[in-house]
């Protein structure tokens, strides 16, 4: 958390167009129904004001007046506390801790494979198999409740749903075994909040696949 180089009067999110972590932050904002300015960033050429605000020029970066936040978990938890309705974390400490641990595992296990797949080349095929395995081993978690590890939508869903959305685009087919995962995704994809969270590039991920 650092003071911003330039104070903004409007809540602002610096985001790339197709990154899972950026989509995660946008989905939190959409779930909260918060109005904000969305600044699309080319990771290869970050704008000067982002470089001034964030020493890593990373995305997502959130600017709330004179406050600048980066690291996706920090951004998402701040938004949940700053805009408490609807709450996206359970009340009790054990349930909150369980969701935080799940998010760490997803970042380390699932998102690592997503990055390898996106990089292309020979390693991508092995990464697809590993990602498929991670998801299928998690089927009991998707079957246990309406949302991921929780009866209500939480910050964990804001991380999981963008991954599920990208599966066809990433070339990962879960087959019949993965039906609970696909059903979970469809419940979230049809919400107004999920539609608001997406960029044009993310919407095209499914459109291109469905036309093939």
């Amino acid at each position: 958390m650092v003071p911003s180089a330039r104070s903004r009067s409007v809540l602002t999110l610096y985001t790339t167009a197709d990154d899972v972590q950026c989509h995660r932050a946008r989905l939190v904002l959409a779930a909260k129904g918060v109005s904000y300015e969305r600044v699309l960033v080319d990771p290869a050429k970050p704008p000067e004001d982002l470089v001034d605000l964030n020493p890593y020029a990373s995305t997502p970066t959130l600017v709330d007046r004179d406050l600048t936040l980066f690291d996706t978990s920090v951004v998402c938890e701040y938004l949940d506390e700053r805009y408490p309705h609807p709450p996206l974390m359970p009340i009790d400490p054990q349930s909150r801790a369980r969701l935080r641990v799940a998010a760490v595992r997803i970042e380390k296990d699932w998102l690592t494979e997503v990055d390898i797949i996106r990089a292309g080349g020979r390693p991508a095929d092995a990464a697809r198999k590993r990602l498929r395995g991670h998801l299928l081993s998690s089927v009991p978690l998707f079957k246990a409740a309406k949302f991921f590890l929780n009866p209500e939508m939480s910050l964990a869903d804001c991380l999981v749903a963008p991954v599920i959305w990208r599966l066809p685009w990433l070339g990962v087919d879960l087959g019949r075994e993965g039906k609970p995962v696909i059903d979970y995704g469809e419940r979230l994809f049809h919400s107004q909040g999920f539609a608001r969270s997406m960029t044009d590039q993310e919407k095209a991920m499914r459109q291109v696949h469905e036309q093939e």
Side-chain angles (χ1 to χ4, degrees):
M1 174 184 315
V2 297
S4 70
R6 302 178 186 177
S7 178
R8 283 176 170 264
S9 59
V10 178
L11 186 70
T12 303
L13 184 74
Y14 290 84
T15 173
T16 56
D18 60 1
D19 177 69
V20 170
Q21 294 282 37
C22 289
H23 194 174
R24 174 186 181 186
R26 285 185 263 111
L27 187 50
V28 173
L29 284 160
K32 296 289 184 177
V34 176
S35 298
Y36 68 100
E37 181 181 351
R38 181 186 295 183
V39 180
L40 287 178
V41 173
D42 178 353
K45 298 178 181 178
E48 284 188 21
D49 53 344
L50 176 58
V51 175
D52 290 341
L53 291 162
N54 176 348
Y56 309 105
S58 59
T59 52
T61 291
L62 183 76
V63 181
D64 190 2
R65 296 181 182 274
D66 62 349
L67 177 67
T68 300
L69 300 172
F70 40 88
D71 182 90
T72 315
S73 295
V74 172
V75 169
C76 292
E77 293 211 13
Y78 171 77
L79 289 170
D80 192 42
E81 294 175 359
R82 175 76 169 79
Y83 304 97
H85 302 291
L88 293 178
M89 285 294 273
I91 295 174
D92 66 288
Q94 287 189 347
S95 295
R96 289 201 302 271
R98 185 168 65 248
L99 289 179
R100 288 187 179 110
V101 169
V104 170
R105 291 203 60 181
I106 291 167
E107 287 180 307
K108 290 182 178 296
D109 295 344
W110 301 9
L111 298 196
T112 297
E113 307 301 351
V114 169
D115 289 342
I116 295 172
I117 295 169
R118 293 195 60 177
R122 294 182 64 182
D125 287 337
R128 289 186 182 93
K129 292 178 181 177
R130 290 192 298 268
L131 179 56
R132 184 177 188 274
H134 288 315
L135 288 163
L136 291 181
S137 68
S138 301
V139 162
L141 303 180
F142 286 95
K143 294 171 70 174
K146 182 178 180 181
F147 295 96
F148 193 76
L149 291 174
N150 205 51
E152 304 292 337
M153 184 175 176
S154 75
L155 292 181
D157 298 291
C158 294
L159 172 57
V160 173
V163 176
I164 307 305
W165 175 262
R166 285 161 170 74
L167 291 181
W169 182 65
L170 294 169
V172 177
D173 183 357
L174 298 182
R176 294 181 64 183
E177 299 169 82
K179 189 175 185 302
V181 180
I182 302 305
D183 290 346
Y184 158 88
E186 291 300 322
R187 286 197 299 273
L188 290 177
F189 301 159
H190 286 91
S191 69
Q192 292 183 351
F194 193 86
R196 287 197 304 270
S197 74
M198 288 191 290
T199 62
D200 290 340
Q201 289 88 336
E202 287 162 342
K203 293 174 183 176
M205 290 175 181
R206 288 285 179 121
Q207 293 168 354
V208 170
H209 178 77
E210 289 169 359
Q211 291 170 3
E212 290 177 350

